[in-house]
Amino acid sequence: MRQMRWQPVGFAVAMGMMLGGCAADAVIPDAQLITGATFITMEDGPAPGAMLIEDGKITALGTEDALRVRNPGAVLSDFSGRTIMPGIVDSHAHVRELGLDALKVDLVGARSVEAIIARIRQQRPDAQPGDWIIGQGWDEGAFASYDGTDAVGGYPTTRDLSEAYPDNPIALESLHGFAAMANDAALMRAGITDTTPDPEGGTILRSPSGHATGVLLTLAQNLLFDAVPDPSPDQLEAAIIAGLGRLAEAGVTSVHEAGMQTGDVAAFQALAEAGRLPIRVFGMLNGNDAALMEDWFASGRQDDPDDWLDIGAIKVFYDGSLGSRTAILHAPYTDRPEAARPTARISLPQVERLAERARQTGFQMAVHAIGDAANDHILTSFERRLAPDANGPVPDHRWRIEHAQLVRPDFAQRASALRLIASMQPSHAMGDSDWAEDRVGSRRIRRAYAWRMLQDAGVPIIFNSDLPGEPWEPMQTLHFATTRTKRDGTPEGGWYPAQAVDRETALRAMTIDGAHAAFQDQALGSLAPGKWADFVVLSDNPLTASDIQAITVEATYVAGTRMTDQGASSP
């Protein structure tokens, strides 16, 4: 049984009433009547005027008078002037990394090695010789367009970084995780020399003379980060709690953690057992880890009846990214094709074996595919594994393609026929808009980040953040999805605005459709009787507000409990 340390909203008020002389049987602390708000339920039918919550679940929606009669002892919470909607389901995120980022140098927005050095000096002024310095957030897409005199493969060398910090090993993770920078001290610690061979699925960028430049692409990063000390179990748990707390503050009540490693699973399970998860987690195991998957295929999915920690999906990393030119394309990259290194991080036969085991054991497949050829390959693999066999048609599988960023002309029809879910990130479109067309040209770009095209073809879409990296808060995601503009409103009119979706579609993709993608739509994702009382209180109505990004989150509730300060409760 989960030992909750938080109290339902209104508990203090209810106790005060009891101690003040009200009859004990007239007050039920576990019952709350929410009134006054504008309700967005994500269900069909007229909006209710009130919501009754009992024992953490929604038991009725209707008029205030009718619900008062139903439970006259319910504690009243008046949210007049506010909007209440289901909690956001962030259906593809990296909570562990979000929490651990507090230990890293923030490099988001740094556009040169000089800027990176300035950030390190500012944020790690007390680094002692020999200390590792870890950073995160330099944009591999922007850096891969570098054309300075020391450019190699589109990237600058890290020579200046080595000169500035000769005694500190430095490892810098990129914004989307497909490249890394390291200075000479870090390369030495990792045993990476000019003669180190490229690992399968990775590239060590080298100068024309054969010198390792300090830039590592895709799986070559493992050579570096295997040398970086791992966080302790306590640090990992603290990072997860910190990350989940930040999500709760932003209005997220459920998150799909993409690519859990063995240590991550243990940390999440320990936190769930101790009742310390502030929001719900749906675990997606790292399918590229063969040993991990063997263990889970043997033991089966984890299904928590209270929905705090379910583990039921396999996240497979297939190709790379457009920014680093490691995504797998049908035709060459339009800009600098000689610098491209298309990379398969796992073989297609391995993907198909995982898919077959997933079908047999009931796990959901969720495969990272960016390039149009990569998406085509995964579609073909899924078509083979989801075809009817001697046992009949495949049951409700809800398999997913993560990103579906650049696709072939027939992708939408094929994906719709398979009932595949396209898991997409509006922030990626806007973050990549400065260089994406350069990578693939004016013809192919019209089939990139193509939300409306997929929706019109009947492909279910879910929107999520893929945090950390690009702006990830839900109202930012909603803004990107519906305007195709950056946070500052540029470009005017939107970047390929025909691919924008309307606000209701976007909100569904961030709530009930996200819950559906985790087989949780009977318990989460909308405001309906019988579901958990997971909801967010907003300063304005996201369906009608003139400025979506100005909307603030005033409270986040999970199972009827108000979550603030990383999981503490307040009346």
Side-chain angles (χ1 to χ4, degrees):
M1 177 64 67
R2 188 174 193 272
Q3 301 299 312
M4 289 290 292
R5 66 177 181 180
W6 307 300
Q7 300 168 336
V9 171
F11 181 86
V13 175
M15 289 302 295
M17 293 174 64
M18 293 173 67
L19 295 174
C22 293
D25 61 359
V27 176
I28 306 174
D30 287 335
Q32 305 165 63
L33 181 59
I34 309 295
T35 66
T38 297
F39 288 90
I40 300 173
T41 65
M42 304 314 300
E43 295 279 345
D44 294 334
M51 178 170 66
L52 181 63
I53 300 170
E54 296 172 316
D55 296 323
K57 289 191 173 183
I58 300 168
T59 52
L61 296 159
T63 67
E64 179 180 345
D65 290 344
L67 299 190
R68 279 183 179 274
V69 170
R70 177 165 176 155
N71 191 332
V75 175
L76 180 66
S77 295
D78 186 348
F79 286 99
S80 294
R82 305 295 184 263
T83 294
I84 288 178
M85 63 169 284
I88 298 297
V89 178
D90 193 334
S91 49
H92 182 125
H94 303 279
V95 172
R96 173 189 189 273
E97 297 306 319
L98 179 66
L100 288 174
D101 276 356
L103 306 176
K104 301 172 184 175
V105 176
D106 180 5
L107 301 177
V108 175
R111 297 283 176 162
S112 67
V113 174
E114 292 76 14
I116 287 174
I117 292 170
R119 293 279 188 98
I120 294 173
R121 285 174 174 161
Q122 178 187 34
Q123 298 177 40
R124 294 293 182 272
D126 300 325
Q128 300 300 306
D131 289 349
W132 276 91
I133 297 174
I134 312 300
Q136 191 276 337
W138 62 276
D139 188 341
E140 60 266 57
F143 271 79
S145 299
Y146 178 76
D147 59 1
T149 56
D150 62 335
V152 174
Y155 291 90
T157 70
T158 60
R159 178 188 58 211
D160 291 345
L161 189 63
S162 297
E163 291 176 355
Y165 286 91
D167 300 320
N168 293 96
I170 297 177
L172 308 178
E173 305 167 14
S174 64
L175 187 64
H176 300 298
F178 295 97
M181 290 188 190
N183 66 348
D184 287 346
L187 294 177
M188 185 179 299
R189 289 277 189 101
I192 300 172
T193 69
D194 295 347
T195 59
T196 300
D198 288 345
E200 183 176 357
T203 303
I204 302 169
L205 288 189
R206 307 171 200 270
S207 69
S209 63
H211 179 64
T213 68
V215 177
L216 309 167
L217 302 182
T218 55
L219 296 188
Q221 298 176 82
N222 295 343
L223 301 175
L224 170 67
F225 291 114
D226 284 349
V228 177
D230 290 329
S232 69
D234 287 346
Q235 287 175 321
L236 189 53
E237 290 183 18
I240 289 169
I241 289 294
L244 294 176
R246 289 187 63 188
L247 285 164
E249 291 169 359
V252 176
T253 57
S254 179
V255 64
H256 301 180
E257 178 72 348
M260 282 182 168
Q261 305 278 9
T262 300
D264 304 335
V265 172
F268 276 101
Q269 289 178 325
L271 292 169
E273 183 66 24
R276 296 177 60 201
L277 294 177
I279 64 174
R280 305 183 192 280
V281 177
F282 177 73
M284 305 166 72
L285 300 163
N286 180 4
N288 295 56
D289 186 331
L292 175 69
M293 290 316 309
E294 281 302 318
D295 289 343
W296 278 87
F297 283 138
S299 62
R301 296 167 51 115
Q302 175 175 313
D303 187 8
D304 178 359
D306 291 329
D307 298 309
W308 285 102
L309 178 62
D310 291 335
I311 300 177
I314 304 168
K315 165 66 188 302
V316 180
F317 295 89
Y318 180 44
D319 70 337
S321 71
L322 283 180
S324 61
R325 298 187 189 87
T326 54
I328 303 174
L329 306 186
H330 270 288
Y333 281 80
T334 304
D335 69 329
R336 306 190 66 171
E338 77 286 352
R341 291 168 176 80
T343 302
R345 302 171 70 176
I346 186 172
S347 71
L348 281 172
Q350 288 175 298
V351 173
E352 293 203 13
R353 285 194 291 272
L354 282 169
E356 184 60 29
R357 297 287 298 277
R359 176 173 172 170
Q360 294 168 354
T361 56
F363 278 91
Q364 177 190 51
M365 286 290 287
V367 180
H368 164 114
I370 297 287
D372 55 358
N375 278 286
D376 191 52
H377 296 165
I378 298 305
L379 269 182
T380 300
S381 295
F382 281 5
E383 285 168 340
R384 292 173 181 150
R385 295 306 166 211
L386 294 178
D389 59 15
N391 297 317
V394 178
D396 185 12
H397 55 81
R398 307 188 197 184
W399 286 12
R400 303 161 47 160
I401 292 187
E402 305 299 313
H403 312 302
Q405 203 166 92
L406 175 67
V407 298
R408 298 279 286 169
D410 64 349
F411 176 90
Q413 290 71 30
R414 294 170 65 194
S416 178
L418 286 177
R419 296 178 288 118
L420 294 182
I421 296 168
S423 171
M424 307 182 81
Q425 301 75 35
S427 63
H428 286 188
M430 303 323 304
D432 297 355
S433 61
D434 289 338
W435 47 259
E437 188 165 347
D438 293 339
R439 294 287 189 276
V440 300
S442 59
R443 180 177 56 85
R444 286 184 290 184
I445 197 64
R446 297 180 183 277
R447 290 182 273 104
Y449 318 91
W451 316 321
R452 185 63 179 269
M453 180 189 77
L454 297 181
Q455 178 196 19
D456 289 347
V459 179
I461 296 173
I462 56 177
F463 283 149
N464 43 60
S465 69
D466 197 14
L467 63 81
E470 303 286 358
W472 58 265
E473 294 190 5
M475 292 303 109
Q476 296 166 349
T477 298
L478 183 62
H479 167 82
F480 299 143
T482 57
T483 69
R484 299 279 292 198
T485 65
K486 299 179 183 180
R487 295 197 64 193
D488 63 3
T490 60
E492 184 177 356
W495 187 63
Y496 292 98
Q499 294 301 334
V501 299
D502 61 68
R503 295 189 188 191
E504 183 174 357
T505 296
L507 283 180
R508 288 190 62 86
M510 298 164 65
T511 54
I512 184 63
D513 293 344
H516 173 84
F519 299 87
Q520 296 175 327
D521 46 314
Q522 297 303 307
L524 310 174
S526 67
L527 305 181
K531 292 193 173 186
W532 292 108
D534 296 358
F535 60 94
V536 59
V537 181
L538 302 175
S539 62
D540 203 348
N541 186 337
L543 293 176
T544 60
S546 59
D547 184 356
I548 294 171
Q549 294 186 93
I551 297 173
T552 59
V553 175
E554 300 197 355
T556 302
Y557 288 73
V558 180
T561 299
R562 179 171 178 170
M563 313 306 293
T564 58
D565 299 329
Q566 299 178 4
S569 65
S570 64

